[in-house]
Amino acid sequence: ASEADFNNAATYYKSCVCGDMGEETFSYGVSLGAPIKDEVKEALANYKNAADYRDAQKAELAAAIEEAKAAIDRATSEEAVEKAFADAKTAMDQIKTDAQLKAEEEAAAAAALAKAKADAKEALANYKNAADYRDAEKAELTEAITAANTAIESAKTPAEVEAVVKTAQAEMDKIKTDAQLGRASGRERVYCRE
């Protein structure tokens, strides 16, 4: 009948017990491509370690493997199998591991913290107008800002930064302006009439 090829197993004519060859055929064995496809599927299954991935990415990985296996099964040549394998590896390489995701999350958190610190320092620097204060109170204001900036640099989270800013603003609100000091000294004068 026919020899095995990449896609089909060998076919043989059925024969009668008497030795006559019939017209019906049957397949025997496997196609020449079957062992190649099986080998590539196994390599694909072992290409990535699912334990390195989070659940959502494990599902993506499994879907990519199943899609690749279907493409391999549809392949009609060794070149097509190799292409399906290469495409699958490329797709699987795009799926991020837990370590990669953690690194991205840590980088994003560090960037958010750095932004929160910069914004907080700017907010404190602009919170009060130094021109509204006398020299002694300006020094207190500068000291409060310097202490707050030191605490901001030590903060580990944006929430800690926010807490430092609120505390510093409360301290800065206690420092009296020149106008407040002028009103206070006017109230303290005692007028005596003779």
Side-chain angles (χ1 to χ4, degrees):
S2 64
E3 291 185 18
D5 61 22
F6 191 82
N7 299 303
N8 303 298
T11 57
Y12 300 92
Y13 288 106
K14 292 183 179 179
S15 58
C16 174
V17 284
C18 66
D20 289 341
M21 186 170 39
E23 293 181 16
E24 288 184 46
T25 60
F26 67 95
S27 296
Y28 182 77
V30 295
S31 67
L32 298 178
I36 295 168
K37 290 179 178 183
D38 290 344
E39 183 180 324
V40 170
K41 286 179 188 177
E42 185 176 341
L44 188 63
N46 295 320
Y47 182 63
K48 297 285 184 177
N49 182 357
D52 295 339
Y53 294 84
R54 295 179 182 177
D55 290 342
Q57 288 67 38
K58 283 179 186 176
E60 288 180 47
L61 203 58
I65 290 170
E66 288 309 308
E67 186 177 323
K69 284 181 178 180
I72 290 166
D73 285 339
R74 290 189 304 271
T76 57
S77 67
E78 190 168 352
E79 293 77 21
V81 169
E82 289 172 5
K83 182 180 181 327
F85 184 50
D87 290 348
K89 289 196 304 185
T90 299
M92 292 167 73
D93 288 341
Q94 302 288 328
I95 301 169
K96 295 181 180 173
T97 64
D98 181 49
Q100 290 170 318
L101 291 170
K102 278 182 184 173
E104 286 179 2
E105 291 162 355
E106 289 170 3
L113 180 59
K115 183 179 182 334
K117 287 179 177 184
D119 291 349
K121 288 177 181 180
E122 184 178 347
L124 288 178
N126 296 320
Y127 185 63
K128 298 288 183 179
N129 183 356
D132 294 340
Y133 294 85
R134 295 179 183 175
D135 289 342
E137 287 71 27
K138 279 183 191 177
E140 286 182 54
L141 203 58
T142 301
E143 190 177 304
I145 292 171
T146 301
N149 285 342
T150 301
I152 287 169
E153 281 306 316
S154 298
K156 303 289 185 221
T157 66
E160 288 179 18
V161 171
E162 187 178 331
V164 169
V165 170
K166 286 182 179 177
T167 301
Q169 287 174 335
E171 289 301 312
M172 292 166 72
D173 288 341
K174 293 177 187 175
I175 301 169
K176 296 191 185 296
T177 64
D178 181 44
Q180 290 169 325
L181 289 171
R183 283 193 302 266
S185 64
R187 276 186 253 133
E188 291 170 3
R189 290 186 189 139
V190 178
Y191 294 99
C192 297
R193 294 187 184 199
E194 293 182 20

